Structure formats: C-alpha cells, structure tokens
Amino acid sequence: MFGKRIALVSMLLMLSIMLGGCDTAAPQSPTVPNVQNENSQTGIEPGKTVNPGQDTMTMIVYFATKDAANLIGEKYVVPKNSHPAQTAMELLIAGTKNPDLVAVFPAGTKLRNILVKDHIAYVDFNDSLVKNNKGGSALEILLVGAIVNTLTEFHDIQKVQILVEGKKIDTISGHMDIGEPLSRSENIIKKSK
C-alpha cells in the first residue's frame, strides 16, 4: 500500500509539473472560501486525469500554512463519482503540492471508511492517526480543522465525527476533544486579502 501511495504522489507531482504552465482556473464560486490554488487537477488513481468533456466535480480541500497558524483551501477538479467525501479525504491524506502549504496527516494514516448519516459524516481512520501524531496543540487543531472543514464543504454534511479503527476517541494528542461530532471552524481559515 505504501508503494501505491508513492506512485500516486509521483504521478501527481508529474501532473502538476506538466500543468504548471496551463491556465485551468475555473471561475470562483461566491460560496467557495479562500481558493488559493485553482490549477490543482488530480485523479485519485495514478495515471487518471480529468479529460475535456468528462463529467467532473469541484471540491475544496484544506491544508495548513507553513507557520501552523491557519488553513487554506485548495480547489481540486476530479472525475465525478458516487463518493465525493471519500475522494476529498483521500486528497487530504495524499497532501498538497503547494510549497506554501503543508499536509496535516501523520505518516501512515489511511482512510478506513466514511459514512454520511443525518448530515453527520463518520470518518474512520487507521490507528496511525494517533500513533504517528507528533502532538502539539496547533497541529491537532489544524488536523481536526482540515478534516472537518473539508467535509463540511459538502452541502449534505453539517458535522463530522472522527473515528479511529471504528471507535470514537476522546482526543488525537490530548489537546482537543473530538468525542462528539464537530462543526465547521471558520476562524482557522485564512481569509484572502
């Protein structure tokens, strides 16, 4: 599985280099906050890209600023599928190519499952989310904020319950209570100037 992740990251890096000079920016929707990287295009499977005329969907995925003070949303255009919340989480776990932003997930974290019921997303990760977490209150706030804010971009999700190995946990590294479903946190999103 680690080899697949490296292959995915390599393909995404090559794709971003190839598209670097292309202007693929789409007009920004007034309801989409803080889109900083409108050139991001990716497919979830290595080697798959968005083709002209292909049905696509746009999503915002949140990554941390280098100073660990805020989150910034990146826009991704991906092939339309029946599991957009899962796609968003996979993009979030894969990380960003933007040199001004950093990924928030600990190494080895994998998405086990995601289920949306009664406007709550139950997102289940493997135990690397906790075991490989380097700790620190800022990092925990940004990690939780990135998960919750990315998923609450979808109109049918109002809250997010984070699970590890199928079970509720009280905290990831001891700084933030995640025992109950969490709402969107606008105050950690960097506002555009």
Side-chain angles (χ1 to χ4, degrees), residues 154-171:
F154 297 101
H155 72 278
D156 60 330
I157 299 175
Q158 295 171 359
K159 292 187 175 188
V160 177
Q161 176 68 63
I162 297 171
L163 306 172
V164 173
E165 299 293 336
K167 297 180 176 138
K168 286 185 183 182
I169 59 172
D170 293 329
T171 186

Side-chain angles (χ1 to χ4, degrees), residues 2-169:
F2 184 70
K4 287 182 182 178
R5 178 181 259 181
I6 289 175
L8 175 62
V9 170
S10 297
M11 291 298 294
L12 292 175
L13 180 60
M14 288 184 351
L15 180 61
S16 66
I17 290 169
M18 290 173 18
L19 292 175
C22 299
D23 183 11
T24 59
Q28 183 173 343
S29 165
T31 61
V32 177
N34 304 314
V35 175
Q36 298 293 319
N37 181 5
E38 295 208 359
N39 289 348
S40 296
Q41 278 197 344
T42 186
I44 296 306
E45 297 174 31
K48 298 242 180 179
T49 57
V50 177
N51 298 318
Q54 181 177 1
D55 279 345
T56 61
M57 58 186 172
T58 302
M59 55 186 59
I60 305 298
V61 178
Y62 288 89
F63 296 100
T65 55
K66 282 186 174 180
D67 62 2
N70 296 101
L71 295 173
I72 292 180
E74 281 193 309
K75 181 187 277 189
Y76 288 85
V77 178
V78 299
K80 191 173 247 182
N81 62 58
S82 60
H83 47 274
Q86 177 181 331
T87 301
M89 282 297 97
E90 289 170 352
L91 288 167
L92 182 58
I93 291 169
T96 178
K97 302 293 177 251
N98 185 334
D100 296 327
L101 301 177
V102 294
V104 293
F105 275 95
T109 303
K110 297 201 182 330
L111 179 66
R112 294 182 70 232
N113 193 21
I114 187 164
L115 169 72
V116 179
K117 183 178 178 186
D118 299 326
H119 302 289
I120 299 173
Y122 296 87
V123 58
D124 186 14
F125 299 99
N126 68 351
D127 62 359
S128 293
L129 182 72
V130 175
K131 286 183 178 177
N132 296 343
N133 191 286
K134 297 192 187 329
S137 58
L139 184 60
E140 186 172 3
I141 289 167
L142 291 171
L143 170 60
V144 171
I147 295 167
V148 174
N149 286 354
T150 296
L151 288 172
T152 55
E153 282 288 329
F154 297 101
H155 72 278
D156 60 330
I157 299 175
Q158 295 171 359
K159 292 187 175 188
V160 177
Q161 176 68 63
I162 297 171
L163 306 172
V164 173
E165 299 293 336
K167 297 180 176 138
K168 286 185 183 182
I169 59 172

